[in-house]
Amino acid sequence: MQVLIIVLYVVCGLTAALAAYYTVRDLAADLVLLGAAALVLLAWAVLGIALLIKDLGGGEVTDPVTLYGYLLTGLVLPLGGAWLGIWERTRWGSLAIGVVAVTLVVLVMRVEQIWPGGFA
């Protein structure tokens, strides 16, 4: 589980850095940045599936509503960021993808704080 969380940190960090580069260079989101957003979504989905399996397998979840709310938010945010990146053809679309990546880093940090060890 910790490996998945580290992978998510790395993917989100690299996506945020790439989005910052695009924003500073005044570039609209292209297939590279949108692909990075898709990779963030994929990493979050894998982590969510692992947490769901752990929960269904008898893991200790004191507040499942919050957990599944976080997981749903983590799935919706990259979709919204990518949608904004496609339709906002200025640097602000790229910035939106970067904000999503940073937000997901904070979200997974909260998962680890609320559920010690992130279900490790």
Side-chain angles (χ1 to χ4, degrees), residues 46-67:
V46 169
L47 178 65
I49 289 169
L51 287 173
L52 180 66
I53 290 171
K54 185 75 170 182
D55 180 31
L56 294 176
E60 181 69 28
V61 179
T62 56
D63 188 6
V65 173
T66 304
L67 172 65

Side-chain angles (χ1 to χ4, degrees), residues 33-46:
L33 188 56
L34 293 172
L39 193 58
V40 167
L41 176 63
L42 178 67
W44 188 267
V46 169

Side-chain angles (χ1 to χ4, degrees), residues 65-78:
V65 173
T66 304
L67 172 65
Y68 295 120
Y70 277 30
L71 294 179
L72 181 63
T73 301
L75 292 174
V76 171
L77 276 177

Side-chain angles (χ1 to χ4, degrees), residues 19 23 33 77-78 80-85 88 90-103:
T23 302
L33 188 56
L77 276 177
W83 181 83
L84 193 56
E88 178 60 42
T90 64
R91 76 165 109 195
W92 303 113
S94 300
L95 181 65
I97 293 173
V99 169
V100 164
V102 171
T103 302

Side-chain angles (χ1 to χ4, degrees), residues 96-117:
I97 293 173
V99 169
V100 164
V102 171
T103 302
L104 289 180
V105 167
V106 173
L107 203 61
V108 79
M109 283 181 186
R110 289 294 298 149
V111 167
E112 286 188 293
Q113 289 173 350
I114 294 171
W115 297 279

Side-chain angles (χ1 to χ4, degrees), residues 15-27:
T15 301
L18 184 63
Y21 173 78
Y22 274 57
T23 302
V24 169
R25 301 284 301 187
D26 200 18
L27 300 171

